[in-house]
Amino acid sequence: MAQTPTEDQVVDAAKELGQEEFTRGDVAGQLGMEKSEIKEGFQHAKKAGRFVKTRDDAENTGHFKLGS
């Protein structure tokens, strides 16, 4: 089983995408993991304000942008 990425690793992966908006799946793909494997780090980043939710699309997928 892969090690759960930290909040910093998840944020760094989102930055490396080079996209203004991204999904949890995009970040997981950048890390070579499944969405479920990055859940904890992603949630910590959201709570810390490092990710800001921008919208839900037609499939109810959350889209985010980098926060502070």
Side-chain angles (χ1 to χ4, degrees):
M1 183 170 116
Q3 183 178 352
T4 303
T6 65
E7 175 184 330
D8 287 336
Q9 289 171 316
V10 172
V11 172
D12 288 343
K15 288 177 182 175
E16 290 169 9
L17 289 170
Q19 301 171 191
E20 186 171 329
E21 208 177 61
F22 52 86
T23 65
R24 194 163 48 104
D26 294 334
V27 176
Q30 181 70 20
L31 289 167
M33 300 179 147
E34 298 292 324
K35 288 191 303 184
S36 61
E37 294 176 292
I38 70 161
K39 183 177 182 178
E40 187 176 328
F42 200 94
Q43 286 180 334
H44 286 291
K46 276 177 44 183
K47 287 180 183 176
R50 297 176 78 183
F51 292 155
V52 178
K53 189 169 187 177
T54 56
R55 65 185 174 95
D56 286 323
D57 64 17
E59 289 80 35
N60 207 29
T61 300
H63 290 255
F64 301 85
K65 67 178 183 177
L66 291 170
S68 54

